[in-house]
Amino acid sequence: MVRGTHLDAVIVGAGFAGLYQLLCLRDRLGLKAQVLEAGGDLGGTWYWNRYPGARCDSESHAYRYFFSRELAEEWESTERYPGPAEIRAYLDHVARKFDLRRDIRFNNRVVSAQFDEAAKHWRIETESGERCTATWLVTAVGCLSSANVPTIPGLDAFKGRWYHTGQWPHEGVDFRGKRVGQIGTGSTGIQAAPVIAETAAHLTIFQRTANYSVPARNAPLAPEFQRWTREHFEQIREIAQSTVNGHAFRIEERNVADVTPAERQAIYEAAWEKGGLQFRATFKDLLTDRAANATAAEFLKARIRATVKDPATAEALADIDHPYSAKRPPIDTDYFETFNRPNVTLVNLRKDPIERITLQGICTRTQEHPLDIIVFATGFDALTGPLLRMDIRGRGARSLREDWKAGPETYLGLQVPGYPNFFTITGPGSPSVLTNMPVAIEQHVEWITDCIAHARRNGVQTVEPLADAAREWGERVQEAARATLLYDAKHSWYFGANVPGKPQVFMPYAGGMHRYRKICEGIAAQGYQGFVMARA
Ligand code: NA7
C-alpha cells in the first residue's frame, strides 16, 4: 500500500540501491521517503535470480556496502562469492539494523510517473492503481532486471514447462528424470548448466555465441580471511573505491609486451588457479590492445580444448568471435567439464539455428530436440529496459520511451534533460554494469543525496540537466567505449544487441569508476555544472 498522498521522495526498487537511498534521504536528510518495490521482499536482482547455480561474480568482501564499518564488522560472509540467499540475508540485516522495512511497500510495481509542472512534483502510479506524489523520484530498479525472453515461434504451444532464469520460481524446479534444453551461455547459463546437468536426465545446451570463462574457485571462507577482511575494512574500501571496476583488487601496472612469453604463461596459469574476475587484471592493456588481448584469449581457448574431451564439442565451445572480456566475462564452476558428462549435448546455433519451438521441444534447422523443460538463460533488456518498462513522462508529458528511441540520453547516467527531480541510480551512461555494483551504487546514492541536500539548502525547487550537457556526456560515453575493445563486440548487451529492435548504442560509461567518481565530484564542487537549479 502506498502510504500518504505526498512524499518528499519516492524510490523505486528495494535492492542495494533502494535501501541505501532510503537510509540517506530519510535518516540523513530527514525526508519523508518511501520505497516502492515490485517484488514480495528485499533483494532486487537477488530476489528474482534464484536459478540453479546462481552466485555473484564479485567477491563477498567487496560485494557489500562500505558506508558503515560497524555493518562490516557485524556481517560474516561464508563463501568467496555470495549466493542469492546470503545476499538477501545481508540486505535483510541492513534493513533491520537501520529500520528500513517500515518505509518499503512490497508488491507495488510502479507503472507510471509523470512530472506535474505546475505543482513541481511527480505523480506516481502503481500496477494496483495506488497513487502518490513526490518532489523527488529516484529509480533504483537495477540494470539487469527486465528479463529478455526471445520471441521464438511456437513457445506458446510448448507442452512442457519453461522458465527464464531471471524470474525463477521460489520453490525451485525439479529436473530429475527430465529432458532439459537451456538456451544461452552467458554468465547465467554458464553457472546454471553444471547444476542442472547433475539431476536432469539430459541437458541440451543451445549456444549462439561461444564464451570465455575462468574458474570461479568458490570455497568457504577461512576464519583467518574473514578476520583479515574485518581488520582491513578501510584498506579494502580504499581499493574498491579507487579501481577501474570497483573490485577490491587492482589491475596490474604491466603490459603484456613487458614480459616474456614464458612469464606471461606463468602469470595466466597463476591467475587461472586463483580463479575469478581477477584474471582480467593480470595486464593493464588486455582491454585496449588487440594483440595483448589475443594472448589471454588463446590461453583460455587452449584451456577449453584441454578440458573438453569430444573434439567437435571443444571446437564449438572454443570458436569465440570476440576479444576476451569484450563481452561480460563469466566465471564458472565446472562449466566446460560438464560437456564431458554423458547426459549433456551442445548444439551450435551458429551452424544449426533454432527455427521454432514445437509441442515437444526445440526444432533447429537439422533436427527436433525433444524436451520436457526449456530454460531461457537469455539475459536481460539491460540498463534501459527496467526504466522504460515504466511510462515515465517529464515536462510537457514528453515520454522517456519516445525520447530514448534512438538510445538513452543522460547526464552522467544520473539525470535526463526534461525530467526534473528525477534521478537514475546506475543509469545508462554511468559505469554501472562494468563495475562491482554496490560500489557504483554507493557513489550514486551519496551523490544524489548531496545534490538533493544542496537543492534544499538553497531553496531550489527543480534540478535537471542541460540538454547540451547530456549530449556532450553522451559523446564522452561513446569515446570512452571506443578507446577499449568493448567496442569490438557489437553483438553484446552493452550495445543492446541482444534485444531485437533496441537501438545499438554503447550504454555504460567505460572510462573507469575511479575517473567517473572524480568527474562527478568535480561537477558538484563547481556548483553542479551542467545542471539547472531552479528556485521557482
Ligand atoms: P547474457 O550475458 O545476455 O547472456 C545471454 C545468453 O543468451 C547469451 O549466450 C546469448 O547469446 C543468449 N541468447 C539471447 N537471446 C538468444 C536467442 N534468441 N537465441 C539463442 N541464444 C540467445 O545474460 P546473462 O543472464 O547470462 O548475464 C547477464 C549478466 O548478469 C551478466 O553479465 C552478469 O553481469 C550478471 P549471444 O551472446 O547474445 O549471442
Side-chain angles (χ1 to χ4, degrees):
M1 289 281 284
V2 178
R3 194 185 60 199
T5 52
H6 184 76
L7 295 148
D8 294 319
V10 160
I11 300 154
V12 188
F16 268 89
L19 289 188
Y20 187 37
Q21 189 67 79
L22 174 62
L23 171 66
C24 288
L25 294 183
R26 189 191 71 183
D27 297 354
R28 294 190 193 157
L29 301 194
L31 265 57
K32 200 168 147 199
Q34 192 166 95
V35 174
L36 301 178
E37 163 60 54
D41 205 349
L42 303 172
T45 295
W46 303 106
Y47 176 80
W48 303 101
N49 280 270
R50 302 182 190 216
Y51 59 86
R55 195 170 284 286
C56 184
D57 285 352
S58 295
E59 297 186 48
S60 295
H61 63 293
Y63 198 76
R64 54 168 56 182
Y65 294 114
F66 284 103
F67 67 84
S68 162
R69 188 184 219 291
E70 195 180 285
L71 181 60
E73 275 168 15
E74 286 166 5
W75 186 256
E76 199 83 279
S77 303
T78 64
E79 293 178 275
R80 180 172 174 187
Y81 306 92
E86 186 157 303
I87 298 171
R88 291 196 304 273
Y90 171 68
L91 292 177
D92 181 57
H93 173 75
V94 173
R96 281 172 202 277
K97 180 177 173 66
F98 297 104
D99 192 16
L100 298 175
R101 281 182 181 271
R102 70 183 151 95
D103 290 305
I104 305 173
R105 301 290 167 268
F106 295 109
N107 301 306
N108 268 290
R109 180 180 287 284
V110 171
V111 289
S112 70
Q114 172 155 5
F115 187 69
D116 180 329
E117 285 188 81
K120 295 191 173 52
H121 63 211
W122 285 88
R123 298 185 174 283
I124 297 144
E125 187 168 350
T126 70
E127 203 164 37
S128 60
E130 304 266 356
R131 289 196 177 92
C132 67
T133 58
T135 308
W136 307 97
L137 174 64
V138 185
T139 55
V141 290
C143 300
L144 301 164
S145 53
S146 185
N148 170 40
V149 179
T151 315
I152 302 175
L155 178 59
D156 290 348
F158 178 56
K159 287 269 189 262
R161 311 293 298 264
W162 67 266
Y163 307 91
H164 185 279
T165 49
Q167 296 172 334
W168 203 255
H170 290 190
E171 64 281 12
V173 176
D174 187 358
F175 293 108
R176 281 175 302 177
K178 299 284 196 286
R179 297 161 303 175
V180 183
Q182 176 188 304
I183 304 179
T185 54
S187 299
T188 299
I190 280 177
Q191 287 184 337
V195 185
I196 296 174
E198 276 170 19
T199 53
H202 194 89
L203 173 64
T204 308
I205 299 172
F206 296 87
Q207 169 190 279
R208 187 163 69 181
T209 306
N211 223 334
Y212 303 95
S213 187
V214 171
R217 307 216 188 276
N218 185 43
L221 288 177
E224 306 80 65
F225 184 77
Q226 290 171 325
R227 194 169 49 248
W228 182 87
T229 59
R230 272 198 304 275
E231 286 168 2
H232 294 81
F233 172 77
E234 281 79 15
Q235 289 93 321
I236 296 167
R237 181 177 60 191
E238 197 279 316
I239 297 173
Q241 294 185 346
S242 60
T243 53
V244 175
N245 302 110
H247 288 285
F249 53 81
R250 295 197 194 280
I251 294 176
E252 295 289 346
E253 275 304 315
R254 62 189 170 220
N255 287 321
V256 166
D258 296 341
V259 300
T260 66
E263 284 166 343
R264 188 179 72 215
Q265 183 70 10
I267 288 166
Y268 286 148
E269 270 166 20
W272 175 268
E273 287 311 317
K274 191 166 191 190
L277 291 174
Q278 289 192 46
F279 190 90
R280 73 179 168 186
T282 44
F283 294 100
K284 80 167 188 302
D285 55 349
L286 284 187
L287 251 192
T288 50
D289 184 299
R290 273 185 199 91
N293 187 288
T295 64
E298 276 319 311
F299 176 90
L300 294 172
K301 288 178 186 179
R303 289 291 166 152
I304 298 172
R305 294 188 186 105
T307 306
V308 179
K309 295 198 176 109
D310 174 56
T313 305
E315 225 22 70
L317 288 165
D319 186 14
I320 307 173
D321 63 359
H322 52 277
Y324 166 62
S325 227
K327 293 182 89 164
R328 171 66 159 69
I331 60 174
D332 71 277
T333 302
D334 295 337
Y335 176 63
F336 294 113
E337 289 80 354
T338 297
F339 292 93
N340 294 333
R341 295 179 67 113
N343 68 333
V344 174
T345 316
L346 179 72
V347 175
N348 183 354
L349 299 180
R350 293 264 190 242
K351 295 215 164 114
D352 190 12
I354 294 174
E355 292 204 323
R356 62 185 185 283
I357 293 176
T358 62
L359 297 180
Q360 289 86 20
I362 293 179
C363 210
T364 57
R365 188 184 291 156
T366 66
Q367 69 177 111
E368 182 169 13
H369 301 267
L371 300 168
D372 303 304
I373 296 175
I374 300 174
V375 173
F376 288 96
T378 44
F380 302 90
D381 181 353
L383 287 135
T384 51
L387 292 166
L388 298 183
R389 197 148 69 162
M390 299 177 281
D391 184 15
I392 297 175
R393 289 176 182 271
R395 288 191 188 282
R398 63 194 286 177
S399 137
L400 197 62
R401 286 178 190 151
E402 284 298 315
D403 283 344
W404 283 8
K405 260 209 161 123
E409 197 175 50
T410 70
Y411 186 35
L412 303 169
L414 275 163
Q415 275 213 305
V416 187
Y419 297 76
N421 295 0
F422 171 54
F423 292 94
T424 51
I425 302 176
T426 62
S430 73
S432 59
V433 290
L434 299 178
T435 70
N436 171 36
M437 291 301 294
V439 171
I441 285 169
E442 269 192 352
Q443 184 262 340
H444 260 193
V445 167
E446 287 166 8
W447 194 95
I448 291 166
T449 306
D450 289 348
C451 179
I452 292 177
H454 171 90
R456 286 166 59 84
R457 262 195 319 272
N458 291 284
V460 167
Q461 293 199 353
T462 56
V463 179
E464 72 184 290
L466 291 164
D468 277 353
R471 197 180 30 74
E472 279 163 27
W473 180 250
E475 283 162 14
R476 282 181 79 171
V477 171
Q478 296 312 304
E479 212 175 280
R482 273 197 295 271
T484 72
L485 299 179
L486 296 169
Y487 216 71
D488 280 19
K490 290 285 187 304
H491 54 316
S492 83
W493 57 258
Y494 297 146
F495 279 96
N498 61 329
V499 177
K502 194 167 168 170
Q504 305 291 289
V505 179
F506 194 90
M507 292 180 286
Y509 173 69
M513 189 63 216
H514 59 319
R515 193 172 295 143
Y516 176 80
R517 184 186 295 276
K518 287 211 170 72
I519 295 170
C520 291
E521 281 169 5
I523 284 170
Q526 285 161 33
Y528 292 92
Q529 206 179 36
F531 291 91
V532 179
M533 299 256 172
R535 289 196 169 77

